[in-house]
Amino acid sequence: MAALLLPVSSRLPKSTAIASARPTPRFLSFPLTTAKPCRRRGGCSILASSATSPSPVAAEAQPFRSLPPSETTVLVTGATGYIGRFVVRELLRRGHRVVAVARPRSGVRGKNSPEEVVSDLAPARVVFSDVTDPGALLADLSGSGHGPVHAAVCCLASRGGGVQDSWRVDYRATLHTLQAARSLGAAHFVLLSAVCVQKPLLEFQRAKLRFEGELAAEAARDPAFTYSVVRPTAFFKSLGGQVEAVKKGNPYVMFGDGKLCACKPISEEDLASFIADCIFDREKANKVLPIGGPGKALTPLEQGEMLFRLLGREPRFIRVPIQIMDGLIWVLDGLAKVFPGLEDAAEFGKIGRYYASESMLVLDPETGEYSDEKTPSYGKDTLEHFFEKVIREGMAGQELGEQTIF
């Protein structure tokens, strides 16, 4: 596959100053969770590495950390996805040279043309390629003329969490990113994972965990290589799907009493800043880093009450019994055994059930309970400010509900 590399400005930001200081988070480092054995649809490891514990950071083996950002090149895959776009912008703001990988037709349903992608990500160097094809990805990146890569950030995620798509993207395409980055000289790899992999009941969680294991194994094999696994809690966008409906006078829908789960959501800008921190911060190397936004954890009930308060209305809720989802999943699971085409439908039901009942917080290994206190906070953006902005400026429900895609 020939590289389609559109010309962009070669001028990159020279300033290494950070525009606004962000609160320093307190960190908890957790060992990587072992994924379930490799499934045929996901394939097995294609990185020959021993699965031992990561070696200590060899700072002297990573000279790029002593360079100014303007002299470091960072590869970003998933660059046109929800978080990936913000990561590219944050890296550029800090002065890094950025190589952004995108598809020729990217975005939801391929609505963005190559010219639009180049314009949106400028002045990053955009390389159009297929992350699901390891040979094409390496060839396209090798032929793009950007020089060696110092670090890589992977923001890939399957569109909706379907069974085969999870292994195709969350595992294999992410592994292709690691292979290409290592071939191009990358000494550090930042993975955008998810805090929900702590309790892996879903296919995309197992796929992400399997890759996390590959990453740790690669660091164990080569002491000159390090990684950071970033596990964010909920995104603001994922919690904003009901704002427009409530604005129009509809009630807020929640499962049970609205207290089945809680989260410490983080904004896309703050998350992008945290991910960018991982490039140079040695304290974040060879660690799993759960991260949430500022403030206390919020339940769906508290989120709904906040929204009604901002709108100046009396709260109105629809409480949906969680057992309804259990029944639906039971039916879909049964049908999927007869009609394999319904496999993803059953998986989507399980994903909905998971997010309706499991907190997006750190799972305390001592108590087995989700912990607000042990979930690190970072940044300055709050969910309340996000709701205020959506109420004031308006945002299409479809836009709010889009999934992170590659």
Side-chain angles (χ1 to χ4, degrees), residues 346-395:
E347 187 71 9
F348 296 152
K350 294 172 187 176
I351 291 173
R353 173 65 165 82
Y354 190 101
Y355 285 116
S357 58
E358 299 288 341
S359 292
M360 297 298 107
L361 300 169
V362 165
L363 192 61
D364 189 334
E366 296 179 359
T367 65
E369 301 292 333
Y370 292 106
S371 172
D372 182 351
E373 289 298 317
K374 291 194 174 183
T375 304
S377 295
Y378 180 87
K380 60 184 181 181
D381 300 334
T382 65
L383 182 63
E384 182 170 357
H385 290 153
F386 172 75
F387 279 169
E388 288 175 341
K389 180 180 179 181
V390 176
I391 290 171
R392 181 177 64 253
E393 301 177 2
M395 194 174 296

mmCIF file of all heavy atoms in Angstrom, residues 346-395:
data_model
loop_
_atom_site.group_PDB
_atom_site.id
_atom_site.type_symbol
_atom_site.label_atom_id
_atom_site.label_comp_id
_atom_site.label_asym_id
_atom_site.label_seq_id
_atom_site.Cartn_x
_atom_site.Cartn_y
_atom_site.Cartn_z
ATOM 1 N N ALA A 346 -25.587 -9.221 21.501
ATOM 2 C CA ALA A 346 -25.509 -9.708 22.879
ATOM 3 C C ALA A 346 -24.380 -9.005 23.625
ATOM 4 O O ALA A 346 -24.524 -8.635 24.797
ATOM 5 C CB ALA A 346 -25.287 -11.222 22.880
ATOM 6 N N GLU A 347 -23.247 -8.803 22.940
ATOM 7 C CA GLU A 347 -22.109 -8.129 23.579
ATOM 8 C C GLU A 347 -22.444 -6.674 23.898
ATOM 9 O O GLU A 347 -22.082 -6.164 24.967
ATOM 10 C CB GLU A 347 -20.880 -8.206 22.669
ATOM 11 C CG GLU A 347 -19.599 -7.692 23.302
ATOM 12 C CD GLU A 347 -19.045 -8.592 24.394
ATOM 13 O OE1 GLU A 347 -19.557 -9.728 24.554
ATOM 14 O OE2 GLU A 347 -18.104 -8.166 25.083
ATOM 15 N N PHE A 348 -23.143 -6.005 23.005
ATOM 16 C CA PHE A 348 -23.522 -4.613 23.256
ATOM 17 C C PHE A 348 -24.446 -4.520 24.468
ATOM 18 O O PHE A 348 -24.366 -3.571 25.249
ATOM 19 C CB PHE A 348 -24.206 -4.011 22.032
ATOM 20 C CG PHE A 348 -23.317 -3.923 20.819
ATOM 21 C CD1 PHE A 348 -23.862 -3.972 19.539
ATOM 22 C CD2 PHE A 348 -21.941 -3.807 20.948
ATOM 23 C CE1 PHE A 348 -23.051 -3.893 18.424
ATOM 24 C CE2 PHE A 348 -21.114 -3.735 19.830
ATOM 25 C CZ PHE A 348 -21.676 -3.776 18.570
ATOM 26 N N GLY A 349 -25.329 -5.504 24.610
ATOM 27 C CA GLY A 349 -26.191 -5.521 25.789
ATOM 28 C C GLY A 349 -25.384 -5.661 27.064
ATOM 29 O O GLY A 349 -25.672 -5.012 28.075
ATOM 30 N N LYS A 350 -24.356 -6.501 27.027
ATOM 31 C CA LYS A 350 -23.497 -6.689 28.194
ATOM 32 C C LYS A 350 -22.710 -5.419 28.511
ATOM 33 O O LYS A 350 -22.483 -5.088 29.685
ATOM 34 C CB LYS A 350 -22.537 -7.855 27.956
ATOM 35 C CG LYS A 350 -23.235 -9.199 27.846
ATOM 36 C CD LYS A 350 -22.266 -10.295 27.409
ATOM 37 C CE LYS A 350 -23.005 -11.607 27.142
ATOM 38 N NZ LYS A 350 -22.083 -12.655 26.629
ATOM 39 N N ILE A 351 -22.299 -4.708 27.456
ATOM 40 C CA ILE A 351 -21.575 -3.450 27.672
ATOM 41 C C ILE A 351 -22.478 -2.437 28.367
ATOM 42 O O ILE A 351 -22.072 -1.767 29.316
ATOM 43 C CB ILE A 351 -21.069 -2.893 26.320
ATOM 44 C CG1 ILE A 351 -19.967 -3.792 25.766
ATOM 45 C CG2 ILE A 351 -20.553 -1.469 26.481
ATOM 46 C CD1 ILE A 351 -19.518 -3.426 24.360
ATOM 47 N N GLY A 352 -23.714 -2.330 27.883
ATOM 48 C CA GLY A 352 -24.656 -1.411 28.520
ATOM 49 C C GLY A 352 -24.909 -1.775 29.971
ATOM 50 O O GLY A 352 -24.962 -0.908 30.849
ATOM 51 N N ARG A 353 -25.062 -3.063 30.235
ATOM 52 C CA ARG A 353 -25.290 -3.533 31.603
ATOM 53 C C ARG A 353 -24.091 -3.222 32.496
ATOM 54 O O ARG A 353 -24.246 -2.824 33.654
ATOM 55 C CB ARG A 353 -25.544 -5.050 31.574
ATOM 56 C CG ARG A 353 -25.627 -5.733 32.940
ATOM 57 C CD ARG A 353 -26.830 -5.236 33.727
ATOM 58 N NE ARG A 353 -27.161 -6.081 34.850
ATOM 59 C CZ ARG A 353 -26.557 -6.038 36.039
ATOM 60 N NH1 ARG A 353 -25.547 -5.209 36.238
ATOM 61 N NH2 ARG A 353 -26.966 -6.834 37.009
ATOM 62 N N TYR A 354 -22.902 -3.382 31.945
ATOM 63 C CA TYR A 354 -21.674 -3.135 32.718
ATOM 64 C C TYR A 354 -21.604 -1.674 33.149
ATOM 65 O O TYR A 354 -21.392 -1.359 34.319
ATOM 66 C CB TYR A 354 -20.464 -3.499 31.861
ATOM 67 C CG TYR A 354 -19.149 -3.514 32.616
ATOM 68 C CD1 TYR A 354 -18.593 -4.718 33.033
ATOM 69 C CD2 TYR A 354 -18.450 -2.340 32.895
ATOM 70 C CE1 TYR A 354 -17.382 -4.749 33.712
ATOM 71 C CE2 TYR A 354 -17.250 -2.362 33.577
ATOM 72 C CZ TYR A 354 -16.718 -3.561 33.987
ATOM 73 O OH TYR A 354 -15.534 -3.591 34.676
ATOM 74 N N TYR A 355 -21.792 -0.776 32.189
ATOM 75 C CA TYR A 355 -21.678 0.647 32.510
ATOM 76 C C TYR A 355 -22.825 1.155 33.373
ATOM 77 O O TYR A 355 -22.699 2.191 34.030
ATOM 78 C CB TYR A 355 -21.573 1.468 31.225
ATOM 79 C CG TYR A 355 -20.224 1.371 30.572
ATOM 80 C CD1 TYR A 355 -20.072 0.797 29.311
ATOM 81 C CD2 TYR A 355 -19.077 1.835 31.217
ATOM 82 C CE1 TYR A 355 -18.828 0.696 28.709
ATOM 83 C CE2 TYR A 355 -17.829 1.735 30.618
ATOM 84 C CZ TYR A 355 -17.709 1.165 29.373
ATOM 85 O OH TYR A 355 -16.471 1.061 28.786
ATOM 86 N N ALA A 356 -23.930 0.428 33.370
ATOM 87 C CA ALA A 356 -25.057 0.831 34.210
ATOM 88 C C ALA A 356 -24.881 0.421 35.663
ATOM 89 O O ALA A 356 -25.545 0.957 36.550
ATOM 90 C CB ALA A 356 -26.355 0.221 33.665
ATOM 91 N N SER A 357 -23.960 -0.512 35.919
ATOM 92 C CA SER A 357 -23.860 -1.045 37.280
ATOM 93 C C SER A 357 -22.453 -1.033 37.870
ATOM 94 O O SER A 357 -22.301 -1.216 39.082
ATOM 95 C CB SER A 357 -24.387 -2.485 37.302
ATOM 96 O OG SER A 357 -23.659 -3.301 36.393
ATOM 97 N N GLU A 358 -21.421 -0.847 37.035
ATOM 98 C CA GLU A 358 -20.048 -0.866 37.544
ATOM 99 C C GLU A 358 -19.473 0.554 37.586
ATOM 100 O O GLU A 358 -19.586 1.300 36.622
ATOM 101 C CB GLU A 358 -19.161 -1.742 36.650
ATOM 102 C CG GLU A 358 -19.598 -3.190 36.567
ATOM 103 C CD GLU A 358 -19.342 -3.970 37.841
ATOM 104 O OE1 GLU A 358 -18.512 -3.512 38.673
ATOM 105 O OE2 GLU A 358 -19.964 -5.035 37.999
ATOM 106 N N SER A 359 -18.856 0.905 38.697
ATOM 107 C CA SER A 359 -18.270 2.235 38.834
ATOM 108 C C SER A 359 -16.995 2.359 38.014
ATOM 109 O O SER A 359 -16.219 1.409 37.902
ATOM 110 C CB SER A 359 -17.955 2.531 40.306
ATOM 111 O OG SER A 359 -19.138 2.665 41.058
ATOM 112 N N MET A 360 -16.786 3.525 37.451
ATOM 113 C CA MET A 360 -15.546 3.815 36.729
ATOM 114 C C MET A 360 -14.568 4.476 37.706
ATOM 115 O O MET A 360 -14.264 5.670 37.625
ATOM 116 C CB MET A 360 -15.827 4.720 35.528
ATOM 117 C CG MET A 360 -16.727 4.103 34.475
ATOM 118 S SD MET A 360 -16.031 2.590 33.711
ATOM 119 C CE MET A 360 -17.075 1.338 34.463
ATOM 120 N N LEU A 361 -14.119 3.686 38.651
ATOM 121 C CA LEU A 361 -13.193 4.114 39.697
ATOM 122 C C LEU A 361 -12.169 3.013 39.917
ATOM 123 O O LEU A 361 -12.327 1.895 39.422
ATOM 124 C CB LEU A 361 -13.944 4.388 41.010
ATOM 125 C CG LEU A 361 -15.025 5.476 40.995
ATOM 126 C CD1 LEU A 361 -15.838 5.428 42.298
ATOM 127 C CD2 LEU A 361 -14.410 6.860 40.802
ATOM 128 N N VAL A 362 -11.120 3.318 40.677
ATOM 129 C CA VAL A 362 -10.119 2.306 41.003
ATOM 130 C C VAL A 362 -10.745 1.234 41.887
ATOM 131 O O VAL A 362 -11.470 1.536 42.840
ATOM 132 C CB VAL A 362 -8.908 2.948 41.711
ATOM 133 C CG1 VAL A 362 -8.034 1.892 42.374
ATOM 134 C CG2 VAL A 362 -8.096 3.766 40.712
ATOM 135 N N LEU A 363 -10.481 -0.008 41.554
ATOM 136 C CA LEU A 363 -10.965 -1.134 42.337
ATOM 137 C C LEU A 363 -9.923 -1.435 43.406
ATOM 138 O O LEU A 363 -8.805 -1.855 43.094
ATOM 139 C CB LEU A 363 -11.181 -2.339 41.431
ATOM 140 C CG LEU A 363 -11.951 -3.538 41.985
ATOM 141 C CD1 LEU A 363 -13.362 -3.127 42.380
ATOM 142 C CD2 LEU A 363 -11.996 -4.653 40.947
ATOM 143 N N ASP A 364 -10.265 -1.183 44.649
ATOM 144 C CA ASP A 364 -9.327 -1.376 45.753
ATOM 145 C C ASP A 364 -9.022 -2.867 45.901
ATOM 146 O O ASP A 364 -9.925 -3.659 46.193
ATOM 147 C CB ASP A 364 -9.942 -0.838 47.046
ATOM 148 C CG ASP A 364 -8.944 -0.812 48.197
ATOM 149 O OD1 ASP A 364 -7.989 -1.617 48.192
ATOM 150 O OD2 ASP A 364 -9.123 0.003 49.120
ATOM 151 N N PRO A 365 -7.775 -3.286 45.704
ATOM 152 C CA PRO A 365 -7.456 -4.719 45.779
ATOM 153 C C PRO A 365 -7.629 -5.295 47.179
ATOM 154 O O PRO A 365 -7.804 -6.501 47.331
ATOM 155 C CB PRO A 365 -5.992 -4.777 45.323
ATOM 156 C CG PRO A 365 -5.451 -3.417 45.599
ATOM 157 C CD PRO A 365 -6.584 -2.474 45.385
ATOM 158 N N GLU A 366 -7.611 -4.453 48.201
ATOM 159 C CA GLU A 366 -7.745 -4.933 49.574
ATOM 160 C C GLU A 366 -9.192 -5.196 49.954
ATOM 161 O O GLU A 366 -9.496 -6.171 50.640
ATOM 162 C CB GLU A 366 -7.125 -3.921 50.544
ATOM 163 C CG GLU A 366 -5.616 -3.738 50.366
ATOM 164 C CD GLU A 366 -5.040 -2.727 51.327
ATOM 165 O OE1 GLU A 366 -5.817 -2.152 52.129
ATOM 166 O OE2 GLU A 366 -3.816 -2.498 51.296
ATOM 167 N N THR A 367 -10.088 -4.330 49.511
ATOM 168 C CA THR A 367 -11.500 -4.466 49.888
ATOM 169 C C THR A 367 -12.360 -5.067 48.790
ATOM 170 O O THR A 367 -13.461 -5.549 49.048
ATOM 171 C CB THR A 367 -12.082 -3.092 50.258
ATOM 172 O OG1 THR A 367 -12.088 -2.249 49.085
ATOM 173 C CG2 THR A 367 -11.244 -2.420 51.353
ATOM 174 N N GLY A 368 -11.857 -5.025 47.546
ATOM 175 C CA GLY A 368 -12.666 -5.492 46.427
ATOM 176 C C GLY A 368 -13.766 -4.516 46.056
ATOM 177 O O GLY A 368 -14.651 -4.859 45.265
ATOM 178 N N GLU A 369 -13.716 -3.305 46.586
ATOM 179 C CA GLU A 369 -14.728 -2.285 46.325
ATOM 180 C C GLU A 369 -14.116 -1.149 45.506
ATOM 181 O O GLU A 369 -12.923 -0.884 45.565
ATOM 182 C CB GLU A 369 -15.280 -1.730 47.646
ATOM 183 C CG GLU A 369 -15.925 -2.770 48.545
ATOM 184 C CD GLU A 369 -17.211 -3.339 47.973
ATOM 185 O OE1 GLU A 369 -17.870 -2.612 47.196
ATOM 186 O OE2 GLU A 369 -17.545 -4.494 48.289
ATOM 187 N N TYR A 370 -14.976 -0.451 44.752
ATOM 188 C CA TYR A 370 -14.517 0.724 44.022
ATOM 189 C C TYR A 370 -14.271 1.864 45.004
ATOM 190 O O TYR A 370 -15.036 2.059 45.960
ATOM 191 C CB TYR A 370 -15.561 1.148 42.987
ATOM 192 C CG TYR A 370 -15.712 0.154 41.856
ATOM 193 C CD1 TYR A 370 -16.835 -0.673 41.778
ATOM 194 C CD2 TYR A 370 -14.732 0.049 40.876
ATOM 195 C CE1 TYR A 370 -16.975 -1.579 40.733
ATOM 196 C CE2 TYR A 370 -14.864 -0.862 39.834
ATOM 197 C CZ TYR A 370 -15.989 -1.665 39.764
ATOM 198 O OH TYR A 370 -16.114 -2.570 38.737
ATOM 199 N N SER A 371 -13.197 2.610 44.784
ATOM 200 C CA SER A 371 -12.789 3.631 45.746
ATOM 201 C C SER A 371 -12.640 4.997 45.091
ATOM 202 O O SER A 371 -11.827 5.184 44.182
ATOM 203 C CB SER A 371 -11.459 3.231 46.400
ATOM 204 O OG SER A 371 -10.950 4.280 47.194
ATOM 205 N N ASP A 372 -13.417 5.953 45.578
ATOM 206 C CA ASP A 372 -13.269 7.347 45.170
ATOM 207 C C ASP A 372 -11.911 7.869 45.620
ATOM 208 O O ASP A 372 -11.173 8.500 44.868
ATOM 209 C CB ASP A 372 -14.404 8.163 45.791
ATOM 210 C CG ASP A 372 -14.371 9.627 45.385
ATOM 211 O OD1 ASP A 372 -13.380 10.074 44.763
ATOM 212 O OD2 ASP A 372 -15.331 10.348 45.700
ATOM 213 N N GLU A 373 -11.555 7.574 46.868
ATOM 214 C CA GLU A 373 -10.315 8.089 47.450
ATOM 215 C C GLU A 373 -9.081 7.592 46.713
ATOM 216 O O GLU A 373 -8.092 8.314 46.593
ATOM 217 C CB GLU A 373 -10.226 7.686 48.922
ATOM 218 C CG GLU A 373 -11.198 8.412 49.831
ATOM 219 C CD GLU A 373 -10.944 9.917 49.846
ATOM 220 O OE1 GLU A 373 -9.761 10.302 49.919
ATOM 221 O OE2 GLU A 373 -11.914 10.689 49.778
ATOM 222 N N LYS A 374 -9.097 6.367 46.221
ATOM 223 C CA LYS A 374 -7.919 5.795 45.568
ATOM 224 C C LYS A 374 -7.883 6.050 44.067
ATOM 225 O O LYS A 374 -6.974 5.583 43.387
ATOM 226 C CB LYS A 374 -7.841 4.298 45.853
ATOM 227 C CG LYS A 374 -7.524 4.002 47.312
ATOM 228 C CD LYS A 374 -7.123 2.561 47.546
ATOM 229 C CE LYS A 374 -6.673 2.351 48.996
ATOM 230 N NZ LYS A 374 -6.203 0.977 49.250
ATOM 231 N N THR A 375 -8.857 6.782 43.559
ATOM 232 C CA THR A 375 -8.849 7.160 42.152
ATOM 233 C C THR A 375 -8.189 8.524 42.014
ATOM 234 O O THR A 375 -8.738 9.523 42.477
ATOM 235 C CB THR A 375 -10.281 7.216 41.583
ATOM 236 O OG1 THR A 375 -10.923 5.952 41.784
ATOM 237 C CG2 THR A 375 -10.254 7.538 40.096
ATOM 238 N N PRO A 376 -6.994 8.599 41.432
ATOM 239 C CA PRO A 376 -6.279 9.874 41.332
ATOM 240 C C PRO A 376 -7.065 10.923 40.541
ATOM 241 O O PRO A 376 -7.819 10.589 39.625
ATOM 242 C CB PRO A 376 -4.991 9.504 40.598
ATOM 243 C CG PRO A 376 -4.822 8.038 40.830
ATOM 244 C CD PRO A 376 -6.209 7.483 40.859
ATOM 245 N N SER A 377 -6.882 12.167 40.925
ATOM 246 C CA SER A 377 -7.518 13.293 40.236
ATOM 247 C C SER A 377 -6.477 14.109 39.497
ATOM 248 O O SER A 377 -5.329 14.215 39.935
ATOM 249 C CB SER A 377 -8.246 14.189 41.243
ATOM 250 O OG SER A 377 -9.313 13.522 41.860
ATOM 251 N N TYR A 378 -6.896 14.710 38.392
ATOM 252 C CA TYR A 378 -5.979 15.503 37.582
ATOM 253 C C TYR A 378 -6.774 16.569 36.849
ATOM 254 O O TYR A 378 -7.914 16.343 36.450
ATOM 255 C CB TYR A 378 -5.267 14.602 36.574
ATOM 256 C CG TYR A 378 -4.284 15.308 35.666
ATOM 257 C CD1 TYR A 378 -2.964 15.496 36.050
ATOM 258 C CD2 TYR A 378 -4.675 15.785 34.419
ATOM 259 C CE1 TYR A 378 -2.045 16.130 35.218
ATOM 260 C CE2 TYR A 378 -3.769 16.413 33.574
ATOM 261 C CZ TYR A 378 -2.454 16.585 33.978
ATOM 262 O OH TYR A 378 -1.560 17.208 33.148
ATOM 263 N N GLY A 379 -6.166 17.719 36.660
ATOM 264 C CA GLY A 379 -6.761 18.754 35.830
ATOM 265 C C GLY A 379 -7.644 19.717 36.580
ATOM 266 O O GLY A 379 -7.681 19.747 37.815
ATOM 267 N N LYS A 380 -8.367 20.507 35.811
ATOM 268 C CA LYS A 380 -9.175 21.587 36.379
ATOM 269 C C LYS A 380 -10.613 21.606 35.858
ATOM 270 O O LYS A 380 -11.469 22.294 36.424
ATOM 271 C CB LYS A 380 -8.519 22.929 36.059
ATOM 272 C CG LYS A 380 -8.370 23.200 34.567
ATOM 273 C CD LYS A 380 -7.631 24.497 34.305
ATOM 274 C CE LYS A 380 -7.524 24.756 32.793
ATOM 275 N NZ LYS A 380 -6.797 26.011 32.498
ATOM 276 N N ASP A 381 -10.893 20.884 34.794
ATOM 277 C CA ASP A 381 -12.227 20.914 34.193
ATOM 278 C C ASP A 381 -13.185 20.017 34.968
ATOM 279 O O ASP A 381 -12.859 18.881 35.295
ATOM 280 C CB ASP A 381 -12.172 20.447 32.738
ATOM 281 C CG ASP A 381 -11.273 21.317 31.884
ATOM 282 O OD1 ASP A 381 -11.103 22.498 32.228
ATOM 283 O OD2 ASP A 381 -10.726 20.810 30.885
ATOM 284 N N THR A 382 -14.389 20.520 35.239
ATOM 285 C CA THR A 382 -15.383 19.752 35.978
ATOM 286 C C THR A 382 -16.576 19.412 35.086
ATOM 287 O O THR A 382 -16.836 20.101 34.084
ATOM 288 C CB THR A 382 -15.891 20.536 37.205
ATOM 289 O OG1 THR A 382 -16.605 21.712 36.748
ATOM 290 C CG2 THR A 382 -14.728 20.959 38.102
ATOM 291 N N LEU A 383 -17.297 18.379 35.466
ATOM 292 C CA LEU A 383 -18.487 17.986 34.718
ATOM 293 C C LEU A 383 -19.529 19.096 34.742
ATOM 294 O O LEU A 383 -20.235 19.322 33.755
ATOM 295 C CB LEU A 383 -19.068 16.695 35.299
ATOM 296 C CG LEU A 383 -20.295 16.131 34.580
ATOM 297 C CD1 LEU A 383 -19.938 15.732 33.148
ATOM 298 C CD2 LEU A 383 -20.865 14.936 35.333
ATOM 299 N N GLU A 384 -19.623 19.805 35.849
ATOM 300 C CA GLU A 384 -20.596 20.899 35.951
ATOM 301 C C GLU A 384 -20.322 21.971 34.897
ATOM 302 O O GLU A 384 -21.236 22.453 34.230
ATOM 303 C CB GLU A 384 -20.563 21.513 37.348
ATOM 304 C CG GLU A 384 -21.585 22.612 37.540
ATOM 305 C CD GLU A 384 -21.723 23.053 38.978
ATOM 306 O OE1 GLU A 384 -21.055 22.458 39.843
ATOM 307 O OE2 GLU A 384 -22.504 23.993 39.235
ATOM 308 N N HIS A 385 -19.051 22.318 34.726
ATOM 309 C CA HIS A 385 -18.700 23.305 33.707
ATOM 310 C C HIS A 385 -19.008 22.783 32.307
ATOM 311 O O HIS A 385 -19.429 23.542 31.426
ATOM 312 C CB HIS A 385 -17.221 23.676 33.823
ATOM 313 C CG HIS A 385 -16.905 24.474 35.042
ATOM 314 N ND1 HIS A 385 -15.661 24.471 35.643
ATOM 315 C CD2 HIS A 385 -17.675 25.293 35.805
ATOM 316 C CE1 HIS A 385 -15.680 25.252 36.703
ATOM 317 N NE2 HIS A 385 -16.892 25.756 36.827
ATOM 318 N N PHE A 386 -18.803 21.490 32.104
ATOM 319 C CA PHE A 386 -19.129 20.889 30.803
ATOM 320 C C PHE A 386 -20.619 20.977 30.535
ATOM 321 O O PHE A 386 -21.049 21.362 29.441
ATOM 322 C CB PHE A 386 -18.665 19.434 30.775
ATOM 323 C CG PHE A 386 -19.119 18.667 29.563
ATOM 324 C CD1 PHE A 386 -18.520 18.861 28.326
ATOM 325 C CD2 PHE A 386 -20.156 17.744 29.655
ATOM 326 C CE1 PHE A 386 -18.929 18.155 27.205
ATOM 327 C CE2 PHE A 386 -20.577 17.037 28.541
ATOM 328 C CZ PHE A 386 -19.968 17.244 27.310
ATOM 329 N N PHE A 387 -21.448 20.614 31.523
ATOM 330 C CA PHE A 387 -22.896 20.703 31.364
ATOM 331 C C PHE A 387 -23.315 22.149 31.060
ATOM 332 O O PHE A 387 -24.176 22.392 30.207
ATOM 333 C CB PHE A 387 -23.597 20.216 32.625
ATOM 334 C CG PHE A 387 -23.717 18.718 32.734
ATOM 335 C CD1 PHE A 387 -24.129 18.126 33.925
ATOM 336 C CD2 PHE A 387 -23.428 17.898 31.660
ATOM 337 C CE1 PHE A 387 -24.241 16.744 34.043
ATOM 338 C CE2 PHE A 387 -23.546 16.513 31.760
ATOM 339 C CZ PHE A 387 -23.952 15.940 32.956
ATOM 340 N N GLU A 388 -22.702 23.101 31.771
ATOM 341 C CA GLU A 388 -23.031 24.505 31.536
ATOM 342 C C GLU A 388 -22.737 24.910 30.103
ATOM 343 O O GLU A 388 -23.516 25.625 29.463
ATOM 344 C CB GLU A 388 -22.232 25.395 32.496
ATOM 345 C CG GLU A 388 -22.697 25.330 33.944
ATOM 346 C CD GLU A 388 -21.817 26.131 34.876
ATOM 347 O OE1 GLU A 388 -20.651 26.438 34.471
ATOM 348 O OE2 GLU A 388 -22.262 26.480 35.974
ATOM 349 N N LYS A 389 -21.600 24.443 29.591
ATOM 350 C CA LYS A 389 -21.214 24.780 28.220
ATOM 351 C C LYS A 389 -22.192 24.177 27.214
ATOM 352 O O LYS A 389 -22.605 24.848 26.263
ATOM 353 C CB LYS A 389 -19.797 24.268 27.944
ATOM 354 C CG LYS A 389 -19.310 24.571 26.541
ATOM 355 C CD LYS A 389 -17.897 24.048 26.329
ATOM 356 C CE LYS A 389 -17.413 24.333 24.916
ATOM 357 N NZ LYS A 389 -16.034 23.795 24.687
ATOM 358 N N VAL A 390 -22.568 22.927 27.420
ATOM 359 C CA VAL A 390 -23.509 22.273 26.499
ATOM 360 C C VAL A 390 -24.864 22.959 26.553
ATOM 361 O O VAL A 390 -25.506 23.177 25.516
ATOM 362 C CB VAL A 390 -23.642 20.776 26.835
ATOM 363 C CG1 VAL A 390 -24.686 20.125 25.936
ATOM 364 C CG2 VAL A 390 -22.311 20.069 26.680
ATOM 365 N N ILE A 391 -25.302 23.319 27.748
ATOM 366 C CA ILE A 391 -26.588 24.003 27.884
ATOM 367 C C ILE A 391 -26.543 25.359 27.181
ATOM 368 O O ILE A 391 -27.496 25.757 26.499
ATOM 369 C CB ILE A 391 -26.934 24.189 29.376
ATOM 370 C CG1 ILE A 391 -27.257 22.829 30.011
ATOM 371 C CG2 ILE A 391 -28.113 25.149 29.546
ATOM 372 C CD1 ILE A 391 -27.389 22.880 31.517
ATOM 373 N N ARG A 392 -25.423 26.040 27.334
ATOM 374 C CA ARG A 392 -25.298 27.390 26.769
ATOM 375 C C ARG A 392 -25.110 27.363 25.258
ATOM 376 O O ARG A 392 -25.745 28.127 24.527
ATOM 377 C CB ARG A 392 -24.104 28.087 27.422
ATOM 378 C CG ARG A 392 -23.879 29.526 26.940
ATOM 379 C CD ARG A 392 -22.732 30.184 27.682
ATOM 380 N NE ARG A 392 -21.455 29.535 27.447
ATOM 381 C CZ ARG A 392 -20.821 28.772 28.344
ATOM 382 N NH1 ARG A 392 -21.359 28.568 29.533
ATOM 383 N NH2 ARG A 392 -19.663 28.218 28.057
ATOM 384 N N GLU A 393 -24.256 26.497 24.771
ATOM 385 C CA GLU A 393 -23.891 26.505 23.357
ATOM 386 C C GLU A 393 -24.667 25.502 22.531
ATOM 387 O O GLU A 393 -24.762 25.635 21.308
ATOM 388 C CB GLU A 393 -22.386 26.238 23.207
ATOM 389 C CG GLU A 393 -21.525 27.268 23.922
ATOM 390 C CD GLU A 393 -20.049 26.957 23.818
ATOM 391 O OE1 GLU A 393 -19.699 25.946 23.152
ATOM 392 O OE2 GLU A 393 -19.250 27.693 24.408
ATOM 393 N N GLY A 394 -25.188 24.466 23.195
ATOM 394 C CA GLY A 394 -25.890 23.423 22.470
ATOM 395 C C GLY A 394 -24.927 22.476 21.797
ATOM 396 O O GLY A 394 -23.839 22.852 21.388
ATOM 397 N N MET A 395 -25.307 21.234 21.720
ATOM 398 C CA MET A 395 -24.471 20.224 21.079
ATOM 399 C C MET A 395 -25.378 19.081 20.652
ATOM 400 O O MET A 395 -26.185 18.605 21.450
ATOM 401 C CB MET A 395 -23.399 19.724 22.049
ATOM 402 C CG MET A 395 -22.279 18.942 21.397
ATOM 403 S SD MET A 395 -20.962 18.533 22.575
ATOM 404 C CE MET A 395 -20.358 20.153 23.017
#
